[in-house]
Amino acid sequence: MITSPAFRGKRYMVLGLARSGLATVRALAASGAVVTAWDSRAEARALVADMAALADPVESDLAGFDAIIVSPGVPLNRHPIAERARRAGIPIIGDIELFAQARASLPPHRVVGITGTNGKSTTTALIHHMIKAAGIPTTLGGNIGLPILGQDPLEANEKGEPVYVLELSSYQIDLTFSLDCDIAVLTNITPDHLDRYDGFDAYAASKMRLFSLQSEGHGAIVAVDQELTSKMSDRAARSAYFTSGKVTRINSAAVAKALGQENWPALQGPHNAQNAALAEAVARELGIGSKLRWEGLISYPGLPHRMERLRELAGVLYVNDSKATNTTSTAPALAAYPSVHWILGGQAKSDDLDACLPYLDHVRAAYTIGESGSMFARLLEPMMTVEECGVLEEAVRRAHEKAVSGETVLLSPACASFDQFQDFEARGEAFRHFVEALA
C-alpha cells in the first residue's frame, strides 16, 4: 500500500468503507495516523475495527480532525456531513487528495490524469496498456482499477520513471486540491450528473479544476472534436482554464485516420478514434517511440462492458456496452454497427435521445427496460419498432428471436443502472449471462 509520513500523527475521519474507503483506512493507519471510520453497514465497520475507532461523523464531535475523507459517491450537495464539516472548519477530501499529499515521499514518478464525461475509462486503460507495453512501470487508479492507496508504490526500471495513470470523475476532482498532474487529459464535456451540480456550467467547471491544479510547464492534452472543448482550449480562452500554459489540441478523427484506425481491432467506432488519439498523444509526450505506440494500439484488448463482443450466434453478434450510461456515450456504439437490435433503458439522466438521433437509421428495433422504458418507447415508436420488455432477460430473449444473420444485438442503455442493478458492471454481467445461455 501507499503510506506517507505526511499522515503521521494526524486525525482523520473516513466516511464510507467500500473499496476505496477500506484502502484509505489501512493506508492511514499504517502511516501512523489516528483514524475514526464509519459506514452504515455493520459488516463494513467490522473490517476496520482493529485499525480505527468507530463513530458516525453526522452525530460525532468533529473538533480536532485534520480532514474528513469521503467516498466520491457521497452527494455533498445534500449530505449533512458537508454542512457539519463547514461549521467545524474541517476540509472534506478524497483518497486522490491523500495520494497527492503522499507523492513527495514516493520514489520519483509521473502522474497522468484523465477526465471528461465519456471515454475516460477506455482512454485511461489504453494509456496504461501502451505504457506497460513499452516496459515502463505503471498502474491504474482513481475511477478504474484498484484503489490507489491500496497499491504498492512504483519503482523505476531501466525503461524509465514509473507512471501512475488516474481516471478522475468530477466527484473525485471535487475532493482534490493539490493533485498536480504531469499530463492532464480532457476527452469531452456533455451534460451528466446534474443532480449533483447547479447546472451544466458548474459541472464543466468541476472537470476543468483538474487543469487549474497543474504547475507551469506540465502538459494538458485536449480533444477538440467538440465545440466546447475547442473553444476552451483555443489560444484566446485557454488562460481561463489551463494554468500550465502547455496545451496540446488533438483532432481525433484526423489523427485516427493518419494512424490507421482500421488496424486496431478493439478500437473501432468514432468514439474510439478520440480515445486512441488522446492515448497516442500521451504516450508520445511520455517519450514512448512511434513503433511501440503503434503496437500498443494494435494489441489493446478493450474494456469489459464497453462495446465488448460477447459472442456470435447464427451470424448475430452480441455486444455488451453496459458502460454507456448516458445518450452521448451510447451514440458512438450505435454508429459502429450498421444493423442493430438496441436494448436501452434504466435510470435516465435526460428525457431525450438527441445525441443518438443521427444513428437511429442503424436500428432495426428497440427493446426498452427499466424505469425509463416507457418514456424511451414513446420517443422511438414514431421511428421504429419498439418492444417494452421491462427487464433485461426479456429484452435479450425478444432481440434474439428477431435478429438475423449479419445484425447486432446491442446492450447500450443510455442510462444509469441503479433502478435494477447495483452498477453498470452488474448489468453487463447479467447481459453476459443471458447471452451465454442462448442456444
Side-chain angles (χ1 to χ4, degrees):
M1 73 182 74
I2 290 175
T3 60
S4 174
F7 309 141
R8 187 175 301 132
K10 291 186 176 179
R11 293 185 64 203
Y12 296 97
M13 171 73 77
V14 179
L15 175 58
L17 297 173
R19 290 194 309 165
S20 64
L22 184 58
T24 296
V25 171
R26 287 171 173 162
L28 290 174
S31 298
V34 179
V35 185
T36 301
W38 188 253
D39 192 289
S40 60
R41 299 168 298 133
E43 63 272 23
R45 298 196 298 270
L47 294 174
V48 301
D50 61 338
M51 296 177 283
L54 298 174
D56 186 344
V58 175
E59 300 176 357
S60 304
D61 181 3
L62 299 180
F65 283 97
D66 291 282
I68 299 170
I69 298 98
V70 302
S71 160
V74 174
L76 294 181
N77 60 331
R78 55 184 185 272
H79 195 285
I81 191 60
E83 178 60 19
R84 294 211 73 220
R86 187 191 67 78
R87 289 181 179 179
I90 299 171
I92 296 179
I93 63 175
D95 66 326
I96 299 299
E97 174 59 19
L98 290 175
F99 169 73
Q101 294 176 15
R103 290 185 65 189
S105 58
L106 296 177
H109 63 275
R110 288 179 285 183
V111 171
V112 178
I114 300 92
T115 195
T117 304
N118 297 306
K120 295 189 300 298
S121 294
T122 298
T123 301
T124 302
L126 179 55
I127 291 168
H128 173 257
H129 173 77
M130 295 175 80
I131 297 170
K132 187 175 181 180
I136 299 170
T138 184
T139 192
L140 287 171
N143 207 39
I144 191 172
L146 298 173
I148 190 63
L149 294 179
Q151 301 189 45
D152 291 333
L154 297 172
E155 300 276 355
N157 67 8
E158 68 280 0
K159 300 290 186 178
E161 282 187 353
V163 183
Y164 295 87
V165 186
L166 305 178
E167 177 188 340
L168 299 169
S169 70
S170 59
Y171 301 163
Q172 289 168 313
I173 296 170
D174 291 342
L175 299 169
T176 301
F177 302 92
S178 61
L179 181 68
D180 182 3
C181 294
D182 297 83
I183 304 172
V185 179
L186 178 63
T187 60
N188 49 66
I189 306 179
T190 60
D192 201 1
H193 303 304
L194 298 187
D195 59 321
R196 291 274 292 263
Y197 295 96
D198 186 18
F200 176 69
D201 288 346
Y203 168 68
S206 174
K207 294 287 189 189
M208 298 308 296
R209 278 193 63 252
L210 180 64
F211 302 90
S212 71
L213 298 173
Q214 286 187 282
S215 299
E216 185 175 353
H218 284 181
I221 297 177
V222 183
V224 297
D225 315 85
Q226 181 190 29
E227 183 179 1
L228 175 62
T229 56
S230 181
K231 285 183 176 179
M232 283 178 164
S233 60
D234 69 21
R235 192 169 296 278
R238 66 179 58 171
S239 61
Y241 303 100
F242 301 92
T243 59
S244 71
K246 186 179 178 183
V247 181
T248 301
R249 291 159 51 89
I250 299 295
N251 183 316
S252 303
V255 171
K257 183 177 180 180
L259 292 176
Q261 185 181 8
E262 66 276 6
N263 297 300
W264 314 331
L267 293 166
Q268 297 303 295
H271 66 302
N272 276 322
Q274 181 177 93
N275 300 332
L278 289 170
E280 196 272 343
V282 170
R284 187 169 62 248
E285 184 76 11
L286 291 171
I288 296 173
S290 58
K291 183 175 184 292
L292 288 173
R293 299 198 303 270
W294 169 252
E295 290 174 350
L297 292 170
I298 293 174
S299 61
Y300 176 65
L303 277 176
H305 313 298
R306 191 60 176 126
M307 287 178 62
E308 179 187 13
R309 298 164 67 98
L310 296 182
R311 69 181 295 194
E312 191 169 317
L313 178 63
V316 176
L317 176 64
Y318 292 81
V319 175
N320 170 21
D321 195 41
S322 182
K323 200 174 191 307
T325 60
N326 58 57
T327 58
T328 307
S329 187
T330 284
L334 295 178
Y337 304 101
S339 185
V340 174
H341 290 259
W342 180 23
I343 300 172
L344 75 156
Q347 192 175 79
K349 295 180 178 179
S350 66
D351 59 1
D352 64 68
L353 291 166
D354 291 354
C356 299
L357 293 179
Y359 312 108
L360 292 186
D361 59 339
H362 291 201
V363 181
R364 298 295 165 262
Y367 309 82
T368 66
I369 62 174
E371 67 180 35
S372 63
S374 296
M375 177 184 71
F376 285 149
R378 289 194 302 272
L379 290 174
L380 293 172
E381 280 169 348
M383 295 172 277
M384 65 186 66
T385 298
V386 181
E387 299 190 25
E388 292 189 54
C389 302
V391 296
L392 182 56
E393 184 174 15
E394 179 66 12
V396 172
R397 185 185 68 79
R398 295 196 201 180
H400 170 62
E401 290 176 350
K402 301 292 173 58
V404 299
S405 181
E407 296 181 334
T408 299
V409 173
L410 171 69
L411 170 66
S412 192
C415 291
S417 58
F418 305 121
D419 57 332
Q420 295 181 324
F421 298 93
Q422 179 179 343
D423 48 36
F424 75 82
E425 289 99 335
R427 179 172 59 191
E429 289 304 321
F431 182 65
R432 183 195 310 276
H433 171 75
F434 298 142
V435 167
E436 288 176 349
L438 296 174

